[in-house]
Amino acid sequence: MSLALQYLRPNGKGLNQVFQSQLEYACQKVGKEDDIKVFCSSTIALPRPIPVAELVSITGMSEPHICDLCADLAPGVSLFNGEISFADEDFEHFMRDEAEEQINYVREKIADHFMSRHKQDAYAAAHIAEALFLTGRGREIIDLISVENEPKAIN
């Protein structure tokens, strides 16, 4: 069975090598390695499925640029009805490794973004507690609970 899979992979490469080649292709096409790193970190740090508009806000990249990156990284990254997700766990694991360098920085940006939007944005309201927890801002979760039991954006 493993010989059959090796045969099917391009030039007998392992999955991580195939994914790395795909990432390098996207980087060459984009021309900015930082964009790829921020994209990887953001797609790992944000709860999926990720609305494209949220990724635009977090990364500062344009929507067409985000959509191009999704297309370049397909089929590992799926863009459907304005939401981004991963096709499988293998690609998600690969992206998690790529995201490691900037993950804490991106998580802080996400927590700040959700704090500024949780009253009017259902996605932010649904995920703000986790974002604050992952950045060590547990006290802010307590403050939110004491002020607002159920976020109005979710009602």
Side-chain angles (χ1 to χ4, degrees), residues 46-103:
L46 284 163
R48 286 169 296 283
I50 305 164
V52 171
E54 294 294 331
L55 198 55
V56 166
S57 295
I58 297 300
T59 64
M61 296 180 212
S62 69
E63 185 172 333
H65 187 47
I66 297 278
C67 293
D68 284 346
L69 285 171
C70 290
D72 292 342
L73 296 173
V77 174
S78 172
L79 174 60
F80 183 72
N81 285 339
E83 294 184 326
I84 300 167
S85 58
F86 294 123
D88 60 41
E89 292 173 5
D90 291 327
F91 193 79
E92 181 177 353
H93 180 72
F94 170 78
M95 291 287 277
R96 190 170 302 283
D97 290 343
E98 292 295 316
E100 191 173 322
E101 184 180 312
Q102 294 190 1
I103 196 75

Side-chain angles (χ1 to χ4, degrees), residues 120-133:
Q120 63 267 17
D121 179 355
Y123 181 79
H127 301 292
I128 190 168
E130 179 184 15
L132 292 170
F133 177 77

